[in-house]
Amino acid sequence: MNPLLPQLAEFLSGRTQWVIDLWIRAVARQPDIESADNLTYQQLIDHLPLLFRDLAERLNSGGQEHAASEIEHAHSHGRHRWHQGYKLEEIIREATLIRRIVLLDCLDDFAGRRPDFDTPARAEAATVIEKFFSDMLVESAQEFADEQQKDLGASEQNLQAILDSALDSIIVIGEDGRVWEWNPAAERMFGYERAEAVGEELAQLIIPVQLRDRHRQGLGHYLATGEGPLLGKRIEVPAIRADGSELLVELAIAPYRVRGEALFTAYLRDITGRAQNEARRVAQYAVATLISGQGSLAEIGPQILETIGSSGPWVFGAFWIINDERQLVCHSTWQTSGRELEQFQADTETLTFSPGEGLPARVIASRKPAWIADVTVEPGFRRWEVARKSGLHGALLFPLLAPSGVNGVIELLSDSVPAPDEDLLRLVGALGIEIGLYIERKRSEEELRRQKEAAEEANQAKDRFLAALSHELRTPLNPVLMWACATAQDKTLDDDMKEGLRMVCRNVEMEARLIDDLLDLTRIARGKLQLNLQPCDAGALLQHALDIVRSQLTGKNLHASIDLQASNHEIMADATRIEQVFWNLLKNANKFTPENGEIVVRSYDAAPGVLAFEISDSGRGIDPALMPKLFTAFEQGIGGGGGLGLGLAICKAIVQMHGGKIYAANKPDGPGAVFTIELIAVADRGVDAPLGSRAEAVPWRTLRILIVEDHGHTAAVMSSLLKREGHDVLSAPTVREALDILRSRKLDLLVSDLGLPDGNGFEVMRELAKISDAKGIAVSGYGMDEDIQRSSDAGFSAHLTKPINVQELQETIQRVTSET
């Protein structure tokens, strides 16, 4: 006797409750098997301790049938008898499940504890256990037969019920691989009658062709060595039915010996449905993951097809999308590997369905999935002939739904004729909604992207237009301003002429300011407005702005008073921009105040660290309907006397960029409007002008200057004025002529327009930088930040925006040429 059998007996004696727990969990995991009623179920639980005691005695006796201890116990206490009301088929079914737990789980556990419990020892133990349970079930059948007052033949019939009542397929094969036993469950599962299966080789019946050689080799290996890698384990393997269809089964094999011959009992359960449900669940999760990401339809469309197609019997898939013309076109396709479906794929990809045409139109109209048994005979399937040649038959089509309607259809085809599957129809119905919503979301995103691009293009076109308009307006103003400002300095002219020339200069500068307003609005909208912050005196800036508009106030006989009561006027700001704010507000007050009216300007401490300026007028006030949009670009009050309506919008943007606030209201005690600005004050350090505003005097010297300008009047005026200052001046209207001069003459300074007939001033500056350390000043009608940056990148030391006055040009020349 194998010495391990008594040790196994002792091991099993202590595993009664463990087996009961496994048995209960196994029943719970198999909802397709109804557990026994309370009576039978409880009897088995009560009987298991006695059953395991008898099994231990059987193992201790080396497998001898009805060991002496069993017989003695039966004489003393009588054999166990089932109570009235039990059902033999339930006893058989549950005892069979307990036997599987003992043969697989218990022996696995014992083998893990005893390495010397090798394959031959396990096979010997399995034979004893198989025989013990067979004896027990035969005795139970005999008992049942006795109770029913049946003869010995009835007990043999009830013994057959062990196989007949099992819901799992039970197949017994011999050493030659041929079938010995084939229970009714196997008949139902594989489609062979018992008489057809018994005596046939199992490999030819249910094992797929590609696995048959492996099965035969494994059987031969076991017979030669007593070892088998699959024995005593639960595995999942494919199998085939009598009709050639494939299924997935859970398989457990238990070997034992009868009269010296090896037999194998195989327990098989059809898990095709379970595996299919799991594959569908995985596919649904994978599709949800795909459409929740940021991938485009072009990227994930084929992945969606592959994910859904791989979860079922499908070999080909097509993703149809409704285009802008309401036609149904193929967006992407998928096919399983190993199939030659190129022609069907090509025909699919070139096919277009008009509204209401073909099989997809029926799906779109019904808004429900459609199950097609055979597309080769289906009316409306235009690819039926190539489908027949490709071996395609069954099909499933489902719509991609969204609130706005159907966005497309997904089509799946199989080389078989699968039976309708209601669960699958429900699944693809849900997937169709998810994918349809994804397509609608992507289309909305695409439309928003197109609208954004169109808006950006429109903004860029507007910016280009404004820049071009600025250039075209500034260029003719440039010689006028330079000549007028320079001539006004002529001491031989009478006072009226000088004042007239100064009036020309002011009006040209005002026109330039209007152009600047347009460009500033563009800078603000694009977030390109830059501030040059430095300590400055806000009161001085206000006085300077008032001086600029004083002549306009005088022309309307307006009385302007200023009362600066704030304790500290020092701020950290861009002086030019803050002065621009004051200038716009004063100009606005002048515009809306009638002749002989009054403008009052005052400052005060609004709060600790907050400096406030108030500019009020005696005009008609602000229309209440205009008040909510007063600081919106291009909005103007009635009777304003012209203008672009940009000043207040620019003021608000500049003040807010400085961390301040601006308000507007009507006077509470009379006609007129009040504008209030609040700015952040800084510690008073006695600053009364922006830092850097007083340039240190530098020695004057004669310069060799090249002017490159294709506008004749500008070139003539600029050349004349610079020569009057004592400089040596040369002129060139083109890049080519400019390059000839700078290569032949030594220069101190280049003053170049950027837009030239045969190129641009950047080329001239780059060439100059290669051969000389002379400085360059760019002159252009384009004054956007990017224009100034391009000038700097090309090597220019300064960028002047037309129109420029003589003083500005002289100061810039002095600053640039004094730099080391």
Side-chain angles (χ1 to χ4, degrees), residues 596-758:
N596 303 313
E598 182 182 32
I599 295 176
V600 177
V601 181
R602 71 185 188 97
S603 71
Y604 59 93
D605 296 325
V610 179
L611 169 63
F613 288 91
E614 185 180 276
I615 299 174
S616 61
D617 60 62
S618 58
R620 61 195 299 267
I622 304 170
D623 185 351
L626 180 64
M627 190 69 76
K629 50 187 178 180
L630 185 64
F631 294 98
T632 303
F634 304 109
E635 293 290 342
Q636 299 186 77
I638 300 174
L644 299 176
L646 301 178
L648 293 181
I650 294 172
C651 287
K652 181 178 181 180
I654 293 174
V655 170
Q656 288 180 340
M657 289 180 68
H658 283 82
K661 300 177 182 178
I662 185 169
Y663 308 95
N666 286 317
K667 284 182 176 179
D669 54 355
V674 181
F675 285 84
T676 304
I677 302 170
E678 293 181 356
L679 297 170
I680 300 172
V682 297
D684 187 1
R685 294 182 292 183
V687 177
D688 58 7
L691 295 181
S693 64
R694 300 186 183 92
E696 294 183 5
V698 296
W700 182 91
R701 64 190 179 97
T702 299
L703 301 173
R704 292 180 294 274
I705 302 174
L706 171 61
I707 296 174
V708 185
E709 172 64 69
D710 64 323
H711 190 265
H713 295 302
T714 298
V717 172
M718 191 181 299
S719 178
S720 175
L721 294 176
L722 292 177
K723 286 179 179 179
R724 187 185 301 173
E725 293 291 324
H727 299 297
D728 182 8
V729 181
L730 296 172
S731 297
T734 65
V735 172
R736 182 179 59 80
E737 294 180 45
L739 294 179
D740 289 341
I741 293 174
L742 65 87
R743 289 167 182 163
S744 61
R745 300 285 298 272
K746 181 174 177 61
L747 301 175
D748 297 308
L749 179 67
L750 169 69
V751 180
S752 178
D753 189 13
L754 295 182
L756 298 169
D758 59 341

Side-chain angles (χ1 to χ4, degrees), residues 4-5 8-9 11-12 51-52 54-56 58-60 62-64 95-108 110 117 121-137 254-257 267:
L4 289 175
L5 292 182
L8 176 61
F11 174 81
L12 291 177
L51 187 72
F52 269 70
D54 291 344
L55 175 58
R58 182 73 65 91
L59 290 168
N60 279 323
Q64 179 180 350
T96 300
L97 182 56
I98 295 170
R99 174 172 60 181
R100 287 180 63 186
I101 293 172
V102 174
L103 284 171
L104 296 178
D105 298 287
C106 289
L107 294 189
D108 281 349
F110 185 69
F117 189 63
R122 181 168 182 153
E124 182 179 353
T127 300
V128 174
I129 293 169
E130 286 277 7
K131 187 64 171 63
F132 173 80
F133 274 96
S134 295
D135 290 346
M136 186 272 289
L137 291 174
Y256 58 99
R257 305 187 74 83
Y267 304 90

Side-chain angles (χ1 to χ4, degrees), residues 39-52:
L39 178 60
T40 304
Y41 200 72
Q42 190 59 49
Q43 285 193 64
L44 276 169
I45 291 177
D46 293 342
H47 183 53
L48 279 181
L50 295 176
L51 187 72
F52 269 70

Side-chain angles (χ1 to χ4, degrees), residues 260-327:
E261 181 176 353
L263 295 179
F264 305 88
T265 300
Y267 304 90
L268 302 98
R269 169 165 294 181
D270 184 356
I271 60 170
T272 304
R274 186 180 76 191
Q276 186 179 69
N277 290 337
E278 177 64 17
R280 291 174 181 175
R281 186 190 67 80
V282 171
Q284 188 173 21
Y285 176 79
V287 169
T289 302
L290 286 171
I291 63 180
S292 65
Q294 297 301 313
S296 66
L297 185 59
E299 294 170 336
I300 72 170
Q303 298 178 58
I304 290 175
L305 280 179
E306 181 178 4
T307 300
I308 300 175
S310 301
S311 68
W314 316 108
V315 297
F316 182 86
F319 203 131
W320 301 91
I321 293 293
I322 296 178
N323 63 16
D324 294 338
E325 289 75 34
R326 305 306 300 168
Q327 294 176 319

